[in-house]
Structures are given as structure tokens and as C-alpha cells.
Amino acid sequence: MTYSYFPGCTLRTKGKELDQWGRAAAEVLGFALEEPENWQCCGAVYPMAKDEIATRLSSVRVLADAKAQGRELVTLCSACHHVIKRVNGDMQRDADICDKVNRYLKLDTPYAGETNVLHYLEVLRDRIGFDALKEKVVHPLTGVKIGAYYGCLLLRPGKEMGFDNPENPRILEDFIRAIGAEPVIYARRNECCGGYCTLENKSYATKQVDKIMDNAKAQGAQMLITACPLCMYNLKENATNGLDVKYFTELLAQALGVKEEAK
Amino acid sequence: MMETIRRISGVNPRKCMKCGKCTASCPAYDEMEFHPHQFVDMVETGRIEELMQSKGIYTCLSCFACVERCPRSVEPAKLIEAVRLAVLRQQNENHLTANDIAEKLDPELPQQAITSAFRKYRK
Amino acid sequence: MQRIGVFVCWCGSNIAATVDVEKVSQVLAQEPGVVFSTNYQYMCSQAGQEMIQESIHKYQLTGVVICSCSPRMHEATFRKTCEKAGLNAHMVEIANIREQCSWIHKDMATGTEKAVILGRAAIAKVHLNAPLTAGQSPVKKRALVIGGGIAGIQTALDIADAGFDVDIVEKQPTIGGKMTQIDKTFPTLDCAACILTPKMVDAAQHEKIHIYSYAEVEKVKGFVGNFQVTIKKKARYVDETKCTGCGLCTEKCPQKKVPNAFNLGLDNRRAIYIPFAQAVPKIATIDADYCTMLKSGKCGVCSKVCTAGAIDYKQTDTYIEEEYGAIVVATGFNPIKLDKYDEFAYSQSPDVVTSLEFERLMNAAGPTGGTLLRPSDGAHPHTIVFVQCVGSRCDDEKGKPYCSKICCMYTAKHAMLCREKYPDTDVYVFYIDVRTPGKNFDEFYRRAVEEYGVHYIKGMVGKVVPQDGKLKVQASDLLGGSQLHIEADMVVLAAAIEPDETARPLATMLTASMDTNDFFTEAHPKLRPVESPTAGIFLSGACQGPKDIPETVAQASAAAAKVIGLLCKDSLTCNPCTAQPDELMCNGCSSCEKVCPYGAITYADKEFRGPNRTTLLRRVAQVNPAVCQGCGACTVACPSGAMDLKGFSNQQIMAEVDAICR
């Protein structure tokens, strides 16, 4: 199975590991990730205002490209996923936005949200299946207690993202089980880490991260996993006494034996 | 102005039943002088100027907790963004400029943090 | 040619504000056959009715058209009026110029034009109307009550006291319903069991009441006065006639790890069980999902210890057929599931409980013997946070759109009882509005605040974080203007209530209507609150909408009064608008028979005269007018157009359409 794949700006630079191990694992799991030519940054923030059209264009370009290829579009970074999925929803549901975007883009065939947008985790859950994934694990992470950190963008708003139960998600926990480790449930796994304000108000970001870390530690987590480079930065750099944080793809690659170094 | 905010946000503040779920959910409460439920109320009663003066419009994390948990689907975060846009779209009202960035950089900072800050804080 | 009178009602300003009633009556006076046309402020008033009757005599009217409100509202009224003046009731037609005209138009010209058109259609129909006479059908003097909670029990007792036989069908092994799980009742704080269990016993001992426990309604046929109902008695693997309720089996059963549904899973019971000590009937039931004997054939302990020889592992579901004149729905409610609201961490901590679970934790017969202990570690809670409106008052995507009505009061009760029994506890109640419109209700709530020192906070809880043995509650205090962070020991969620999941399939069986929330709809929201629009089906308790106990009991007795009124009659006047086949056109295809929901259509072989003095034997449809309810399904199913509905014939409907299109 071949998917169109939108890595996003950060996965080319500061978030390389998220991308690198995701691609390596995909090979083992038997699906191909193909980057469209000339993709552009999604903007990293979903434009909530109805009259913001220009900020939606780069998402629609990559969505329309996937449609032309006849493929589903896979994303890996939480922020990219959030932006592209919601812009796609606008193209499906908001006639005004859809009309204006199509006038700007002058595509050969108009685009109205036909492409299905999947997060890499959804590919694992809905296309590969966590049971099938489990069978391919060669180095199970037995005994490791891992807290899943979802953050905001993957889950909310639930009715638009359609990713998981936004108040009690389980996709990352199921993933953790599939790679042989033990998931740790903690309530702040879907509370905001404060990433967006790290530039302007570091002390506030620290306060948020510390609450999350305290909660995860108290519930017995030894490490956290995430799918978001900004959460990753924030959890790592702004915590006063934090746990180790890894991208979920890195652990996936490790469990599948494509990342040979030990934990 | 009130109409502009309602139009670009797509939010109908009359749906609010004043339960305070948004403000109870807001992780940035301590950083804002007006809280999500007040945003909704002040947009409804036309107190837009005060909101535009407020620093809180830059501390909203866009985490969508208020949007997710609101029992009436009012979507307060969209109002906050609309007010912020109303400010930024005026002349010389950018909250962040390229000159501000250099001092804020650190080697690990992901590109996404800068991109998003520009998207949120300037036009 | 008919002599038709037209009567246009103003309905005060309801119609007259958007319809020029004077003009309507003038224009309709020009229609063929109309010999008299007038308008009046309130046609349904006594003066209005007398005017109609006088006109019938004066102008020798043979048909009447009333331009007024919906026929659902006053068709019966006007039919009676005309009957008294000697006109057949079915010579009266209503043109609905209120709900379908004045209420939906804003412009006088448009409203008036449409009213005229609707009036013309009714006149065109009256031209083809023929007098119809209703037959009579007998009434089976027995009532069925579905659901044995406080609503069903009260309805059954009242009907039985009037001397009629009543059967209660209850899906649980015992009657009593939700009230059996409740500790104390507001606003008087009398113990629920003390007022309920005597009623349960009364029902069990009443010679006119028969209880089918652990049973469900499987099938319903027939119509008002003559329902045929199939009741499924689920296998309980215990012979009801032999079991003495001694309870020995429930102590000796080796399967001890069965979540106790009566205590909402807060403790365990055995695989054979009696839900609670005062159960009625007090008969053991085997839970087939957990019984080792039923699952693997190895065990048989209960059978060995039972001195009455009541255990029967081979028992199967049995079916009972019974006839009833009336059916009462009393299927009650359940708290909603809370998966969508896990910001309260209900799935993450046992110390976050629903209010009904809290009732069990406070109940002397509950899992903790009435001492309030945290489920996680059995410690005394010192700080308790109550959250109201969990899943109530939401827009459709987020939960239930309605107010669940009972939560404000039971939360005040819980908070008050906590403070009374454990004065060292801090109790917070987060509310959106406190709604206490009932006798002595607001006084009760004020007492919780003023005398018992419960902290009522206008605001909501946004997040609950279980950590280090505490529940970190983040909430808003809208009046205080702050965000609160409370370290609580327990959080109690006032979950919205919804109709029982059996209600929807039951409504389908009964052809009774429901609203979008699965509450049964009443025949009229103000004037017929305990009747379903389907004749012979009555509503008791929370199946119709959220209700507290006093209101439920009042409605239960009201439903009983309606049932008694029906069962008192020896026969009922049938609907004369029944289906009528044209035997010459019928080709015997059985389409009508298949779609008839009442089983009113049968087939007979009849002799017809053929060409050349021959005789043909043909299979043709026959309608039993006593059973036909005039729904019209057969008339649309019939491929040859042989089936017609009296009073609504194809010809009449086409005449109306023609008049509208003219």
C-alpha cells in the first residue's frame, strides 16, 4: 500500500527522528510513504477564522495532489495533522471557504475535501492493525512503563479530528501494548503542554510541563512518548525535572528491530 | 465590530448558557485577565475594545479544551482568535516581528514554534 | 348536491392576525354547494358551537366545513356539535388554517390566499362525504403494566383496587426498580425502602395483580380493548413455585466473583442470587453468564443445598399469551454512560462515582453498610465534590438536550446527608443553575446551604486529575471570579438520565410514538399527559420524561384512572373510517394482508359471475371492520387500486388535490 506522505517542515530539521524512524518502520510493516513534490509548510496553526483563505492554501495543495494520485494522505506531526485534517473538513463542509480556495488555486479539477487524511497512528490501528503489528515485533519493550502524551492537536476538537475519544483516548496505549511495553494512564495526557507560548512565556510553559510530568511520574510512568515535535521540545527543554521523552516512531523502530542500538 | 467578530469566528455567543465549563477547563487561566466565558459574554454585549486591549489574546494556547468541553458547542477559542485577528489586521499592530525572533532562538527550538508564532501573532 | 355551511374561526388573534377571516368566509361563500358562510372569534366556544347548530337547522345543512385549528385539536369537538344537531359526524371536515397556515405565514395576503385554498379543498371533500356509522368492539377487562418500578407498581395497585385484573411484566428478577437502590428521598428524607417495600408486598399479595418477574414483552398485536400480548419469561433456572427464598444457595454458590448489578458493581455477589433481602418475588435466579454448572456442566452446589428441590438447570424461556384491554408503559430510566465525559476521570479512578453509585455507598443495605467509604482504599472521604448537569443540557452532539430534573434535588440531599453524618467533611456542589420548583424543594436546598454549610459554587468542573491518592479538581467559580483547584477525596457526578434501552423496541411493538430522546410522547402535552396518541396505550413515570418520585406516583395514578375509565366500558365505539375492498377489482395478491399491522385482512374464495353464464371462483380480500384501525397502509400497498379507506377514499383525496390546484 502506498500513501501520500506529508512530513512537514520540522520533520526535516529538528524533528528528524520522528520522520526517520517512521519511514524505517513503514518499510518493515509493508507500506510506502511517498512525498508529493513541492509540498509547502502547513503553517503549523489551523486558521480558525472563516475569512482566512491564504493560510489554508498549502494544505489544500497537498490534499489535491494526493487526490490526483488517488491516494490517502498520511501525516506524522500532530500539528500538521491537525491543520490538514481540519482544512480538509472546511473544504467538505464550508461552501464559502471551498469556493474561495478553489478560485485562488485554479486547480485542473476543483477540490472539495475528497482526500482521506490519516495520521500514522491511524494507519497502524486501522490499516495494519495493532495485533498484526504485535506479531512483527522482534524486540518487545517488555516491562517498560510508558506514559502516552497526546497533547491537544491530535484529539481536539473530537468531532473534527475523529481520531479517538478526546477525553479518554487509547490509541497510543494500544500502540504501547503492541510493542510489548506497559501503558500508564494519567489524566493530564491530553492537557496542553503550553508549547505555543514557549517563545514568549517560558516560565508558564514550564509550569504546564511540570504538572504533566508530575502526574505521569506519580502514576508510575518511566518515560513519555509523543507524536509532536513542539510537545517534544517543550517537554524536554522546559521541564524542571522531567522524564525521558521519545517519539513513538523511535520506539516502534526499536521494537521492529530496525533501530539496532539498545534502549 | 461585534458583527465582524461574530462573522469571522462563526460563533453565536447566544448559545452560551453561562455554565463556566470553558473557564474551568482553561489551562491558561492564570495568564489571562479575561477568561473564556467572559470573552463570550463580552462579545455578546459588544465590549470588543476591552478585549482588543487585553494581553490575554496572546496567551490563549489554542489547545481547544474549551471547544471540546463546552456543552453547547459555543467554541470560545474561535472568538479569542477573531479578536486577536481584529487587532493584528490593523496597521502596525503586529505582536511579533522578525526582529524579535533572534533573541528568542535556542538551538533545539523546532521550526514549528517560530512558524506558529508568526501565524498567530502577525499579519 | 350537498348543502354546505362554512365556519371560519379567528382563534382570537391566532388566525385573524395573519388571515383575513372576513375575506375567507366571503370567498368560500361563492364555492358550489355552499349555502352559508360566516366567521367568528372562537368557534370552539359554546356560543360558536351553538351558532353552528342553529345554522345546520336554519339552512338545512348536509355538510359542514370548519376552518380552524388542527383536527388533532378540535375535530372531535365539532363532530359532536354537529351530531347533536342531527348531522352525521363524518359530514364534518376541518380545514387547518392555524398550524398549517396562520402560524407559519407572516404576510396577511399570503395567509389569506392559502386559507381560502385549504377551505376549498375541504369543501370539495365534503361533496363526496357519505354518512358513516361506527361499530362496537368489546373490551377485555384486564390491564398490562410494562415495568415494575414505583410507577408500574402504583398504576397496577390503583387499577387492581378498582377491581380489574392487572399483570406486571418486569425484566429484573424483582420489582421495585430504581427506587430500591435509593437511600433516602427528598425533601423529607424518609427512607426509600421503608415507603417502597410495603407497596411491593401489597402488589405481590393483591389478588387482582399477577407479577411476571424476569420477563419481557415479546410481541403485541391488536388494538385498544383487544390487545394480544406474548410475554417471554426468561429462564431463571429456579422453579418459582418451589423456591422459598431461603437464600441458602446464594451463600453456598462457589462462584463469588460476579459484579453485583444491584450495587452497580461496587461489590460482588454469587452466580445464583436474590438481588436484595426485600426482593419481590423473593426467588433466586441463576446468572447464566457466570454459573459454572450452566457453562461447563460441573458444579451443582445450589441444587445440592436446595431443600425445596427448586433448582432446574434445564429450564428454558417460556412464552405466555394473554389478552388485555389496556397497556401501560412504565419502563423508567437509567443514568447515561459516562465515556464521553472522561475529563471527570470516571474511567480512571474508582473514587469518581455517579450519584446512583453514591446512593449505594450511603445505603445501610449497600456494599459499605451505610458508612461512606472511598471505593479505592476504604478511607473516609474528607473533601467531596459534586458536579451537576453531567451530560444534561447539552447540544445534541455533546449529550442530552434536556434538563434531567431530579439531579439538583438529589445532589442537595447527598450534600446535606454528608454534612449531617460526617460534619468534618467539606462538601462542594458545582452548579449551572439550581432548579428546585417543587413543594418544599427550594426550602430543602436552602437548608443544605444555610444549616448544613454545603459550599454551592456557580461554575463547572473542567478537569479531574487522580494523583497521589487524591482527585485534583480544576473548576471555575464564576461568582467569585476565580479558577479553583480543590484536592478532593471523592467526586460525585450527577449523570443525565435517559429512557431505558428497552423503550425504543417496545414503542415499535406498540406503534406508540417517541420523541428524539426516546421518551414516549403524550397525546397532548398539557391536556392528555398520561395517554399515548395510540389508543389504549398509557404512560406512567419517567418513560415519558424525567420525573422525581412524587411526580411519578401522581402520573402513575393518573394513568391508572385513564385505564379504569377504559376498562369500565363494556364496548368501544370503533373507528368507522375503515378499509373497504372493491371485490371486483381485487386480484387476491395478498399485498394488503402483508402490510396490515393489525391483522384485519383475510382472504376468502368468492363466486363471481363470469361471461356466458359461467361462475368464477376468485380469491378476494376481506376486512374485519372491528379490527381495522384505518391506518391506510393497505390502500397504498394495493397494486390494483381495489382498496379504499372510508372517509378518505382515493376519489375524495383527488378532489381535495384538484381543489388546491384549481
Side-chain angles (χ1 to χ4, degrees), chain A residues 237-256:
Chain A
E237 303 298 321
N238 290 332
T240 32
N241 188 15
L243 293 165
D244 188 17
V245 191
K246 288 235 157 63
Y247 288 121
F248 78 96
T249 51
E250 190 175 345
L251 296 195
L252 174 63
Q254 193 179 320
L256 292 172

Side-chain angles (χ1 to χ4, degrees), chain C residues 12-56:
Chain C
S13 62
N14 272 303
I15 292 172
T18 27
V19 168
D20 182 344
V21 285
E22 181 59 39
K23 190 174 168 196
V24 173
S25 56
Q26 279 172 17
V27 173
L28 293 180
Q30 308 306 314
E31 287 294 304
V34 175
V35 294
F36 176 69
S37 179
T38 188
N39 59 78
Y40 184 63
Q41 199 167 13
Y42 290 107
M43 206 60 82
C44 59
S45 66
Q46 189 170 353
Q49 293 189 39
E50 279 168 6
M51 183 174 79
I52 295 171
Q53 287 168 333
E54 282 163 21
S55 309
I56 291 174

Side-chain angles (χ1 to χ4, degrees), chain C residues 124-141:
Chain C
K125 189 176 176 212
V126 170
H127 275 293
L128 299 171
N129 280 14
L132 298 175
T133 320
Q136 300 282 310
S137 74
V139 176
K140 181 78 196 167
K141 293 185 180 283

Side-chain angles (χ1 to χ4, degrees), chain C residues 455-609:
Chain C
H455 309 300
Y456 265 78
I457 297 167
K458 159 91 185 151
M460 254 289 181
V461 169
K463 183 84 180 170
V464 175
V465 177
Q467 188 178 328
D468 306 319
K470 290 274 182 184
L471 300 167
K472 292 171 185 285
V473 176
Q474 177 181 303
S476 55
D477 174 356
L478 298 189
L479 298 179
S482 63
Q483 193 178 57
L484 300 179
H485 297 272
I486 301 169
E487 298 253 314
D489 298 304
M490 282 188 81
V491 170
V492 185
L493 305 175
I497 59 173
E498 63 183 0
D500 190 80
E501 68 279 1
T502 58
R504 173 61 67 175
L506 183 64
T508 310
M509 270 188 256
L510 297 171
T511 61
S513 56
M514 282 187 144
D515 63 18
T516 49
N517 300 309
D518 278 6
F519 287 114
F520 281 87
T521 19
E522 53 284 359
H524 187 281
K526 289 128 200 168
L527 303 178
R528 294 174 67 194
V530 300
E531 294 156 85
S532 158
T534 306
I537 310 293
F538 301 88
L539 310 174
S540 176
C543 69
Q544 178 258 346
K547 274 178 201 66
D548 59 23
I549 296 168
E551 216 184 327
T552 296
V553 172
Q555 201 208 17
S557 289
K562 287 285 168 190
V563 170
I564 294 163
L566 170 62
L567 297 188
C568 278
K569 294 179 183 152
D570 292 322
S571 64
L572 293 172
T573 304
C574 297
N575 171 17
C577 297
T578 53
Q580 192 176 32
D582 182 338
E583 293 178 342
L584 291 174
M585 285 166 79
C586 176
N587 65 12
C589 72
S590 291
S591 298
C592 55
E593 187 190 12
K594 283 180 202 138
V595 296
C596 178
Y598 304 99
I601 301 175
T602 51
Y603 279 83
D605 290 326
K606 269 187 146 179
E607 285 182 357
F608 291 88
R609 200 189 307 163

